[in-house]
Amino acid sequence: MAITSYLAREAGLYGTSNIEALKIDQIVQTREDLLTEEVKVWKEKDAAKNAEMTKNMDENVYPKILGKFEKLIKENQNKTGSKFSVGNQLTLADIILLEGTVTVSQKNPALLDKYPAVKGVASLAADLDGIKQYLAKRAKTDL
């Protein structure tokens, strides 16, 4: 994530203040927490354990983390009037939210319907030139 943060700063995708950078870091690091849990499920080969872990993801982990994202995004959008997750312009946080919702959108897309702000920011990032083309031709994976 250090390289990602560096590149985002170099590309002007790290907000316009230290507070915005802090909020971006909060989203990025919370995404890492989610990824840790997703990898545990992905690596579990025992079908019964995997089903139990998947149920926990859908009923507990995703709602907790997606709920945090939803709250942060709505707070920003209400404060700034923007469509982004942090500040008034595209940031690393928006791209991370797209990346961070790939697994749940593939495995349980209806779950994202409960988090319209998260879904909106992810869609916004998915429609960006470059990202849109990449998503259209990349290989699909389980994680």
Side-chain angles (χ1 to χ4, degrees), residues 11-74:
L13 296 172
Y14 224 77
T16 58
S17 70
N18 286 336
I19 290 293
E20 286 185 9
L22 173 68
K23 291 176 182 181
I24 292 165
D25 287 341
Q26 185 178 12
I27 289 172
V28 168
Q29 291 175 22
T30 301
R31 165 52 184 138
E32 289 301 299
D33 294 341
L34 179 58
L35 181 60
T36 298
E37 296 303 314
E38 288 174 330
V39 168
K40 288 177 187 176
V41 176
W42 182 63
K43 288 178 132 183
E44 181 56 60
K45 300 303 178 199
D46 180 271
K49 286 182 185 177
N50 187 282
E52 183 179 316
M53 293 169 77
T54 298
K55 182 179 179 192
N56 182 55
M57 289 294 295
D58 290 346
E59 293 178 0
N60 298 302
V61 177
Y62 284 127
K64 179 181 176 185
I65 292 178
L66 293 173
K68 285 181 184 180
F69 289 153
E70 186 77 6
K71 181 181 177 203
L72 291 170
I73 294 166
K74 283 183 177 179

Side-chain angles (χ1 to χ4, degrees), residues 14-17 19-21 23-24 27 72-73 75-91 93-94 121 124:
Y14 224 77
T16 58
S17 70
I19 290 293
E20 286 185 9
K23 291 176 182 181
I24 292 165
I27 289 172
L72 291 170
I73 294 166
E75 285 174 358
N76 181 69
Q77 291 175 343
N78 289 337
K79 180 180 178 184
T80 65
S82 81
K83 54 189 172 185
F84 301 104
S85 60
V86 175
N88 289 312
Q89 62 189 35
L90 179 76
T91 66
D94 303 309
V121 167
L124 176 74

